[in-house]
Amino acid sequence: MILEGIVTTLSPSGAVNIAPMGPRVEADLRRFQLRPFPTSQTYRNLKAHGEGVLHVSDDVLLLARAALGPVEPLPPLQPASHVRGRVLCDACRYYEFRVQSIDESEERVRIEAEVVHAQRLRDFFGFNRAKHAVVEAAILATRTEFLPLDDIEAEYRKFAVVVEKTGGAQEREAFALLRQHVERVRRRAGDVSPPREDVSLPREDE
């Protein structure tokens, strides 16, 4: 099973990197597998220092910010207790881990990790369609280099309805951030035509 989470790692100089990651996990979450691209900062950090922290969070705004690049300013963090790493203070729960092996033989690196400490910080908010829509939108935002922009924008129009109907301020801000990113990619690609606007969004009571 793939669990959408947020991973924090430290560079050799101690700089914090925050990245959305979808590790392959088992139900007990004692071990998991990360599959970053070799160009990612997470991979470089874990190869240099094989420790980090996997977070389960319902903060989709942070996830969206992390999907688009370095998170600045950083959210509140605290030192991990069993590894050299940092914990997101607002996460629902977190898993401190150590790398057991790294396989670089394929396009995406396979990193096997073992959890050495886990802790719960607060309750998970619960299922919300807008939060899930933002997660899907964030994944698409990281794939603008090899997916057709028309297809991404078509999916975003569907997500916009869900976010408008079921989301709160955090979800709307996160989705707007992702949409602006896709629009910037469109402009850089040389197509300066404005994106197609949603003619009308259904009201929640419709």
Side-chain angles (χ1 to χ4, degrees):
M1 178 175 68
I2 292 179
L3 172 69
E4 299 301 338
I6 299 176
V7 171
T8 57
T9 54
L10 295 180
S11 72
S13 66
V16 179
N17 184 68
I18 301 174
M21 286 273 155
R24 297 183 181 275
V25 304
E26 299 296 335
D28 59 12
L29 263 171
R30 294 179 181 176
R31 298 175 62 88
F32 58 85
Q33 182 189 84
L34 295 170
R35 300 181 65 235
F37 287 101
T39 55
S40 70
Q41 189 64 48
T42 296
Y43 163 70
R44 291 193 292 268
N45 287 353
L46 289 177
K47 187 171 183 179
H49 168 71
E51 296 180 337
V53 184
L54 168 66
H55 303 79
V56 174
S57 176
D58 51 24
D59 185 347
V60 293
L61 179 56
L62 176 59
L63 187 145
R65 291 173 61 205
L68 299 182
V71 177
E72 297 176 354
L74 290 171
L77 298 158
Q78 64 189 37
S81 59
H82 289 63
V83 302
R84 178 175 172 266
R86 297 292 182 271
V87 173
L88 296 169
C89 295
D90 192 46
C92 299
R93 61 185 194 271
Y94 66 89
Y95 301 85
E96 300 178 22
F97 66 86
R98 290 194 179 99
V99 170
Q100 299 299 301
S101 65
I102 298 179
D103 181 355
E104 303 170 296
S105 62
E106 299 181 8
E107 179 183 10
R108 294 182 69 167
V109 180
R110 294 176 181 267
I111 299 177
E112 300 292 341
E114 181 180 19
V115 173
V116 297
H117 178 68
Q119 189 165 331
R120 175 185 170 277
L121 296 177
R122 64 176 177 84
D123 289 339
F124 184 74
F125 177 79
F127 292 115
N128 174 262
R129 292 177 63 204
K131 288 184 182 293
H132 289 294
V134 171
V135 170
E136 294 296 331
I139 292 170
L140 289 177
T142 67
R143 299 176 179 177
T144 54
E145 292 185 5
F146 54 86
L147 289 181
L149 290 179
D150 288 345
D151 292 351
I152 292 176
E153 288 169 346
E155 290 300 311
Y156 271 38
R157 289 192 287 274
K158 298 176 186 176
F159 296 149
V161 176
V162 176
V163 171
E164 183 66 22
K165 287 179 64 176
T166 69
Q170 183 193 86
E171 292 73 35
R172 292 186 175 94
E173 182 179 353
F175 186 65
L177 191 69
L178 295 167
R179 217 170 193 183
Q180 289 164 10
H181 167 74
V182 174
E183 291 170 5
R184 286 194 297 270
V185 173
R186 169 76 76 180
R187 290 194 293 269
R188 287 199 300 269
D191 184 349
V192 296
S193 59
R196 195 181 101 188
E197 295 293 333
D198 296 304
V199 177
S200 63
L201 294 177
R203 294 163 50 86
E204 188 167 356
D205 57 353
E206 289 181 344

